[in-house]
Amino acid sequence: MNTRPAFLRLVSALGLVAAFAGGPVFAAGEEVVMYKDPNCGCCGKWAEHMRASGFAVKEVRSTAMSAVKREAGVPQALASCHTAKIGGYVVEGHVPAADVRRLLAEKPKVAGIAAPGMPAGSPGMEGAYPSERYDVVSFDADGKHRTFASH
């Protein structure tokens, strides 16, 4: 007989369903906290992309994005329009959810990953412009960076 309370059995079952469905399974309370300029529309579209991929996203409006990026350790050359934090990492710009999921699964010794600029066709930047090829790069606390993924 299973002696675990029904609620814990349900939570365990839902975790297995999410794992088999390819969705992320995160520790309780872990969420994406995204800082964005209140006037930016593409940042909200990236948050929608992340939510559609199974992430919980808290949007924080800030008129001091340069200070947010500086505090987060985002190298100036890798900056984009919004800065997010999850699982002890920084995610800068329009990084695909699959890359964030990979970052969290592999846990590399980096400060974060970034999609520099605002690449056309990246999550949140689809639409009016033809898609372009772009790289997501990882960066460390010293600002050294290398390619993490290519799209």
Side-chain angles (χ1 to χ4, degrees):
M1 179 172 161
N2 191 340
T3 59
R4 291 191 305 173
F7 174 74
L8 291 178
R9 287 194 305 271
L10 176 63
V11 169
S12 294
L14 290 175
L16 286 174
V17 169
F20 284 111
V25 180
F26 300 115
E30 188 170 28
E31 69 180 344
V32 177
V33 178
M34 179 188 72
Y35 299 86
K36 67 176 196 166
D37 184 284
N39 300 310
C40 187
C42 65
C43 300
K45 290 180 182 177
W46 181 79
E48 289 172 16
H49 162 76
M50 295 297 287
R51 287 184 186 108
S53 298
F55 290 90
V57 181
K58 176 182 177 184
E59 296 181 45
V60 179
R61 292 184 167 109
S62 173
T63 56
M65 287 305 298
S66 294
V68 168
K69 293 172 189 315
R70 198 170 35 257
E71 180 273 325
V74 175
Q76 195 169 17
L78 303 181
S80 184
C81 55
H82 57 268
T83 302
K85 296 181 181 181
I86 183 170
Y89 292 103
V90 175
V91 177
E92 178 70 7
H94 295 270
V95 174
D99 293 347
V100 176
R101 194 174 290 120
R102 179 180 152 213
L103 174 75
L104 296 172
E106 294 179 3
K107 298 188 185 321
K109 294 187 184 310
V110 299
I113 56 177
M118 297 169 70
S122 61
M125 292 297 296
E126 307 90 355
Y129 307 101
S131 294
E132 61 184 307
R133 299 212 38 86
Y134 66 97
D135 290 332
V136 170
V137 297
S138 62
F139 60 93
D140 64 19
D142 295 327
K144 295 178 188 166
H145 50 84
R146 64 182 180 154
T147 302
F148 183 79
S150 294
H151 301 279

